[in-house]
Amino acid sequence: MMDKSTVVLDIGACSIKMGHKSQVRSIPNCIFKSKVERRKSCFISSQIESCKDHSGLFYMLPFQKGYLVNWDIQRQIWDHAFGKDELNIKPSETSIILTEPHFNFPTIQEGMNELFFEEYEFQSILRTNATTLSYYGFQKDFPLENCCIIVDTGYSFTHIVPYHCGKKLTNALVRVDVGGKLLTNHLKEIISYRQLQVMDETYVMNQVKEDACFVSMDFISDMNSARLKGDANPLLCEYVLPDYTSTHRGYIKEKKTKAGKENKKEEQSIRLAGERVSVPEILFHPSDLGIPQMGIPEAIIHSISKCPPELQPHLYRNIILTGGSCRFPNFRERVEKEVRSLAPAAYVTRITMSDHPDEYACRGGLAWSETDNFREHFLTLEEYQEAGQSACQRQFMGI
């Protein structure tokens, strides 16, 4: 049985996924400052749920370009996560699994070791990558397979990482510098240039991206349709922005409304057409924004080509999509279509994505904690006090 004192902390640049006692909860990994709230102007992580007006929120992010740079902000968020309003744990009685980005800087790793051992005094810690936790989630779903390739599309960038028998093939690891943050910023720029100044409305525009955008299965055809006028344009929609009086989240307005109810109240809205497909398309063609890198399907093929030939058929058969930016409608189908067109005809391709791809790594960590050899990967507080940073370097190397 899983040790109830084990906590999984999947630390992302946008959100923190927390796994404890078989439950997973996601909270924002930032501190919000409100320009309009008088009662309370600063909201730490999930406290944003109590904010009545999300317009003009100022973000204080601990991560920049995917790496932890502001320890003061991150410490406040972790204090909130471990407190009574969230996990409500005693670190001295708890073991914790932490995630870090690939190619993390040694100084950041040392800072995390010091903070979790010396400040929080956790019983033991295991520091690894989110894709490694996803691999153990894959092992639980497909126990007869020992090869897979994890595609982690997150907030700052996308990582494609092959695994074989629990070991990541580092020489085949590929990064694409495109993630959810870039897509939201691009959408803000488009809307601000064409319709309404929304450069300060990151929170609202991120909701617009989630509610209205989708991955096109035929991009050229959809963009041609987006040029049509009126009802002839299948992509055209009106997105009603929240007023934080009667509505607290925007929504796509129905094209056909009952007579007499159309102008019942004043609504501030934006019109969306080609933006709905052109924004997610950046994941497949970063060169559209001048980023000289491969799209996700090409990067998958490139990563597999760098693996030993005997593993390649198994990797094509086990492609796992994870991360919050995978949640666009048609994302899995588009990746499958393009990978199939690029892969050798003799190989079977299978793309798998869970219903909650952003939580997949965290749930994989919970699944890993149920295995027999799980405890041997931890470094205890006593071992750290005896050998210091060198013990962390030895213990977590290659995990």
Side-chain angles (χ1 to χ4, degrees):
M1 294 294 291
M2 182 185 70
D3 189 345
K4 299 299 182 183
S5 64
T6 299
V7 170
V8 181
L9 207 66
D10 181 13
I11 307 166
C14 177
S15 63
I16 297 177
K17 278 70 68 178
M18 307 178 298
H20 187 45
K21 297 180 180 179
S22 301
Q23 301 296 319
V24 175
R25 172 164 165 75
S26 179
I27 62 173
N29 191 17
C30 65
I31 294 177
F32 304 88
K33 281 196 171 183
S34 176
K35 298 177 182 178
V36 294
E37 284 273 355
R38 296 179 181 178
R39 181 178 59 85
K40 184 178 181 181
S41 62
C42 190
F43 300 88
I44 300 175
S45 190
S46 60
Q47 291 177 354
I48 190 63
E49 295 172 2
S50 65
C51 179
K52 296 180 180 179
D53 191 337
H54 294 160
S55 61
L57 286 175
F58 176 70
Y59 283 59
M60 298 170 63
L61 299 168
F63 277 68
Q64 292 294 334
K65 296 185 178 179
Y67 295 100
L68 177 56
V69 295
N70 195 318
W71 291 91
D72 292 335
I73 294 175
Q74 188 65 85
R75 175 68 185 270
Q76 292 181 62
I77 297 168
W78 283 338
D79 287 345
H80 173 77
F82 302 144
K84 61 180 180 180
D85 293 333
E86 294 296 343
L87 291 173
N88 192 23
I89 58 173
K90 294 181 179 179
S92 60
E93 301 173 2
T94 306
S95 298
I96 189 165
I97 304 173
L98 306 169
T99 65
E100 61 178 350
H102 292 278
F103 311 114
N104 200 10
F105 295 100
T107 51
I108 299 177
Q109 294 175 333
E110 291 172 5
M112 291 179 68
N113 297 335
E114 290 177 5
L115 188 62
F116 281 89
F117 273 134
E118 299 178 19
E119 298 290 329
Y120 290 118
E121 296 184 336
F122 273 91
Q123 186 182 91
S124 56
I125 70 172
L126 192 168
R127 200 185 69 241
T128 185
N129 307 121
T131 54
T132 298
L133 300 187
S134 296
Y135 169 78
Y136 285 99
F138 160 79
Q139 284 255 289
K140 182 179 181 181
D141 295 338
F142 301 93
L144 300 180
E145 300 282 356
N146 61 8
C147 272
C148 74
I149 184 164
I150 306 294
V151 181
D152 183 12
T153 307
Y155 184 67
S156 302
F157 31 56
T158 298
H159 284 115
I160 292 117
V161 191
Y163 282 83
H164 176 232
C165 295
K167 300 292 183 181
K168 60 174 173 278
L169 306 180
T170 309
N171 65 304
L173 194 157
V174 176
R175 171 184 291 177
V176 180
D177 294 327
V178 175
K181 181 179 181 180
L182 179 68
L183 304 188
T184 301
N185 288 342
H186 184 55
L187 181 60
K188 287 195 302 182
E189 291 172 359
I190 293 174
I191 301 302
S192 296
Y193 178 75
R194 296 177 179 174
Q195 299 182 55
L196 182 68
Q197 173 57 257
V198 292
M199 291 305 293
D200 292 334
E201 303 294 342
T202 303
Y203 193 92
V204 175
M205 294 311 296
N206 194 63
Q207 292 180 339
V208 175
K209 180 190 73 174
E210 294 174 351
D211 295 343
C213 293
F214 63 94
V215 173
S216 171
M217 296 300 291
D218 188 345
F219 182 67
I220 300 300
S221 176
D222 283 340
M223 289 306 292
N224 287 332
S225 299
R227 297 189 180 98
L228 301 176
K229 304 292 184 180
D231 293 338
N233 184 346
L235 297 180
L236 183 63
C237 73
E238 188 175 356
Y239 190 92
V240 179
L241 300 173
D243 57 16
Y244 298 108
T245 301
S246 59
T247 57
H248 292 271
R249 186 182 178 107
Y251 59 92
I252 297 176
K253 190 174 183 179
E254 294 183 10
K255 291 185 178 180
K256 294 181 180 180
T257 58
K258 294 182 179 180
K261 292 188 177 182
E262 203 166 317
N263 298 319
K264 187 176 181 180
K265 59 181 179 180
E266 292 186 6
E267 298 172 332
Q268 187 175 32
S269 61
I270 55 177
R271 292 166 66 86
L272 301 170
E275 302 90 350
R276 299 180 68 187
V277 292
S278 65
V279 170
E281 188 68 16
I282 300 167
L283 293 168
F284 298 87
H285 294 99
S287 58
D288 290 350
L289 288 187
I291 301 174
Q293 295 185 9
M294 297 176 285
I296 289 176
E298 292 176 88
I300 293 172
I301 300 296
H302 180 65
S303 177
I304 294 177
S305 70
K306 297 171 73 174
C307 297
E310 62 272 16
L311 298 182
Q312 293 181 14
H314 305 284
L315 293 172
Y316 276 112
R317 195 173 65 241
N318 296 302
I319 300 172
I320 314 299
L321 304 180
T322 68
S325 295
C326 291
R327 293 180 297 177
F328 288 110
N330 299 335
F331 181 82
R332 189 195 68 80
E333 291 80 1
R334 174 71 179 275
V335 172
E336 186 171 38
K337 175 185 175 183
E338 295 205 6
V339 168
R340 177 63 275 171
S341 68
L342 296 170
Y347 293 164
V348 175
T349 59
R350 181 178 64 187
I351 313 282
T352 304
M353 186 177 79
S354 73
D355 293 335
H356 302 283
D358 52 326
E359 299 178 358
Y360 194 78
C362 195
R363 295 190 183 278
L366 293 174
W368 190 14
S369 66
E370 297 176 348
T371 59
D372 296 334
N373 63 344
F374 170 67
R375 278 285 158 189
E376 67 187 40
H377 298 288
F378 273 105
L379 182 72
T380 65
L381 178 59
E382 292 75 16
E383 291 171 332
Y384 174 80
Q385 291 172 338
E386 182 178 340
Q389 295 288 353
S390 59
C392 299
Q393 189 173 3
R394 288 194 304 269
Q395 185 71 13
F396 304 139
M397 185 179 296
I399 296 181

